[in-house]
Amino acid sequence: MRLDYSVVLSKLPLFIDGCFVTLEISFFALLLGMIFGVTGALCRLSKNRLLNSIAFFYVWIIRGTPVMVQLFILYFGLPQLGVKMSSMSAGVLGLAINTGAYITEIIRAGIQAVDRGQFEAALSLGMKYRQVMVRIVGPQAIKFCIPPLVSQFIMTLKNSSIASLVTITELLRTGEQLIYTTFRSFEVYTVVAVLYLIMNSFFMIIASQMEKRMERI
Amino acid sequence: MTHIVEMQNVYKSFGQVSVLKNFNMQLAEGEKVVIIGPSGSGKSTVLRCINKLENIQAGQILFEGSPITEQTDLSTLRTKIGMVFQKFNLFPHKTALENIIEAPMCVKKISKEAAVQDAMKLLDRVGLADKKNSYPKELSGGQQQRVAIARALAMHPQIILFDEPTSALDPELVGEVLEVMKKLAQDGLTMIVVTHEMGFAREVADRVIFMDQGVIVEEGKPEQIFTHPDKNRTQSFLSRINSF
């Protein structure tokens, strides 16, 4: 069978729709994941034993289990306990919980990489912990966090393909549905791959711009 | 006469290591005290206990007559106690001017105009008005430390603690920082200075404290400590310093 991209390319609008669903899942998962991550990092650095252990177990469990299993528990497992949610909610929440654990560690490391003297200088001027974090340590930690965060963002965008398994018609599932009717597996999967690459490349370009802007500090 | 800082039987340890052992010290308003001593003798720890960057295990510290306890509002206490660090610790993401106005605006809630006006006076006082828009990275060590001094002054503290302010500087930059500190001393600022600059101690100090192994070995007027030290340990420390 010879390669023929014409059928696949004629369905390009379908792929573009799939891309938008992928971006939508990724965007909300990352937004929520950042909230989980920042909260988790602050808990991990807190002197409060309870908060600290909650964050520790969160990171331990999520990093130690596959994201696919986590998503299946949310979407297929929880209904048995009476907790039902739409495939979209389960997909976004599952990815957010997963990426949040990694972001927790990234942000914790970033904050700890800031020189201890910065805390002390700010405290000695009378600044409160929150002010020190928001105005002095946070902005410096961002610099350390950007490279690993970019990798994590890219990972999350790619992991969103797993959402196809809980029946969300994102990019990968769009492709698979097209294979049922066209039998063009190679062409479809390569187009899907190229589209993921394009989306991630935008991420990478924006990130390298940001890094350049942060260079002076 | 009331003391601005009074340390009574202060005990401080890091794990198994006792850093301060029944440490007693009083400081009167306007007094300039220089603490000298070998490294590891607990000099810096004395300063860090006063503004509660370190917690003490026993004894008490009084500031302006009232004891510092768990209930003390640390933010308010620290606005009255300035600190200058060995490694400057300027905020690298802020310009010289922004470094100085940060705490007055954020802690004392002073308007930006007023904070900038005051900061410019302070930059002028440390001779760096032309560097107001420079980032710390663009300044020499000596300039950074002078900005750090201006930053501490911006809170108009009752006292400033100098923790080896010239130890991280190249030798040719030490003079400009000491010059600024001498001016502050002449203006009547209360200060405690931990330093290895014996010339500065001799010239500026009202009182020199020699510390070793967490206790005060000897204290007195600079001429007494430097020319007729009573204790052997003081003598041997000073002869080692002078032999360089």
Side-chain angles (χ1 to χ4, degrees), chain B residues 117-154:
Chain B
Q117 209 179 8
D118 192 41
M120 285 313 297
K121 273 189 218 151
L122 293 168
L123 274 174
D124 200 39
R125 205 162 154 196
V126 299
L128 289 171
D130 56 328
K131 299 287 184 191
K132 62 173 179 169
N133 292 324
S134 302
Y135 283 89
K137 221 165 76 168
E138 299 157 359
L139 299 172
S140 74
Q143 291 170 333
Q144 288 190 52
Q145 193 61 299
R146 281 146 69 197
V147 173
I149 292 172
R151 179 176 69 175
L153 287 170

Side-chain angles (χ1 to χ4, degrees), chain A residues 80-216:
Chain A
Q80 197 185 319
L81 305 180
V83 183
K84 278 186 194 145
M85 52 186 127
S86 69
S87 58
M88 192 66 181
S89 314
V92 168
L93 189 62
L95 285 170
I97 290 173
N98 182 268
T99 198
Y102 291 91
I103 293 175
T104 294
E105 285 299 277
I106 291 170
I107 291 178
R108 181 180 67 90
I111 290 173
Q112 284 179 328
V114 175
D115 182 15
R116 185 84 213 137
Q118 293 292 311
F119 273 98
E120 293 183 347
L123 287 176
S124 77
L125 288 164
M127 293 174 78
K128 299 207 163 75
Y129 183 78
R130 224 182 77 98
Q131 295 172 320
V132 178
M133 277 302 188
V134 173
R135 303 192 53 93
I136 306 300
V137 174
Q140 295 181 61
I142 289 172
K143 196 175 83 166
F144 298 113
C145 291
I146 286 180
L149 271 182
V150 171
S151 299
Q152 189 54 37
F153 281 19
I154 289 168
M155 191 62 80
T156 303
L157 195 138
K158 291 189 290 185
N159 277 348
S160 72
S161 61
I162 293 168
S164 63
L165 297 172
V166 295
T167 74
I168 300 173
T169 314
E170 40 63 82
L171 179 55
L172 179 59
R173 194 169 150 92
T174 304
E176 282 173 339
Q177 285 174 345
L178 206 62
I179 293 171
Y180 299 144
T181 53
T182 63
F183 308 107
R184 294 271 166 197
S185 315
F186 186 84
E187 291 89 334
V188 167
Y189 283 131
T190 47
V191 167
V192 165
V194 167
L195 288 172
Y196 273 115
L197 186 60
I198 291 172
M199 287 190 285
N200 274 326
S201 300
F202 275 116
F203 247 157
M204 296 177 204
I205 291 167
I206 294 167
S208 75
Q209 296 291 333
M210 271 177 77
E211 263 184 86
K212 272 194 202 124
R213 284 183 56 186
M214 303 287 293
E215 237 163 47
R216 69 174 183 185

Side-chain angles (χ1 to χ4, degrees), chain B residues 162-177:
Chain B
F162 292 86
D163 187 5
E164 304 205 27
T166 57
S167 298
L169 295 176
D170 289 337
E172 78 269 22
L173 302 176
V174 169
E176 60 188 69
V177 172

Side-chain angles (χ1 to χ4, degrees), chain A residues 118 120 123 126 131 135, chain B residues 48 75 78 90 93 102 106:
Chain A
Q118 293 292 311
E120 293 183 347
L123 287 176
Q131 295 172 320
R135 303 192 53 93
Chain B
R48 296 166 60 84
S75 175
R78 286 169 178 156
L90 288 180
H93 58 303
E102 176 68 25
C106 159

